[in-house]
Amino acid sequence: MSTALLLLPDFALILLGALIRRSMHLGDHFWSGLEKLVYFVLFPALLVNAIMRTRLDLAVAAPLLLTAMATLGAGMLLALAMRLLFKLPPMVFASIFQCGFRFNSYIGLAIAGMLYGSSGIATMGLVVGVTVPFVNLAAVFMLARHGEASLWREVARNPLIWATAAGLVLNLAGFVPPQPLAAFLGRLSDAAIALGLLAVGAALRWRGQPGVRVASFYLLLVKLLALPLIAVLIARAFGLQGIYFETVVLFAALPTASSAYILAMRMGGDGVSVAWLISASTLASMLTLPFWAGWLAG
């Protein structure tokens, strides 16, 4: 219960975003603009700031990052199994495929900070920064393969990949930002979490494609239950303990990224089904994430 109460402010921001959208009638253009602001400006600034300031010890962090990558790989294989289990149109499959392994970084960083403070943000930021290019490449590749978009054009336009690369370069170069720049990035980072969670809530949708519903429930089980269990097994095999172990399990239990909808729509995919999956996984994670966090704390 105490763990659930710690996570309550973050989930309250998500619900507040849903309430504001439905009660204040700000218009779709407002929320579209907010999503672009978070996706192209605020969240990249958060990634750069977190990765640049995180002390990178690859020897120590390697098991953590390998666990995260292996868990995501397992999610991709389980998502690929949909082709054998369900009869889906190619572009529908390519659109919802990403919902089996993509993660909501806004929620992840907010929860890590709430539970573990600055060290939690740094650890989750490192995991997010290294895995974002991997999951974006996989999602873009599948959509480009079944659609008409160019893989490398979409990769080149992805701000999260560029922000991760910039943060790593600055970190390895030993760059220490002057105080005004550090304060500037800090303000953007603070805004990213709050506005990002509001945007997550505003993006909640309840309408999905009837023929995709069974496959969607399968992906929900994969994302919220199977992947955390897989992360536990892999993390124990690597001997992870403490904050690394707990962070990677919570990372695996995160709901699907809101940016999955933006990507699906921009590449001509099934945005309706992706939006329903994002909404369902976000709401279901309000139960599953406190469970995993409480289990780790216990």
Side-chain angles (χ1 to χ4, degrees), residues 104-122:
N104 194 310
S105 305
Y106 310 146
I107 297 177
L109 289 166
I111 288 176
M114 186 65 71
L115 294 177
Y116 309 113
S118 58
S119 59
I121 292 178

Side-chain angles (χ1 to χ4, degrees), residues 41-54:
V41 179
L42 299 181
F43 194 58
L46 175 64
L47 277 179
V48 170
N49 195 42
I51 297 171
M52 178 178 61
R53 297 173 57 187
T54 301

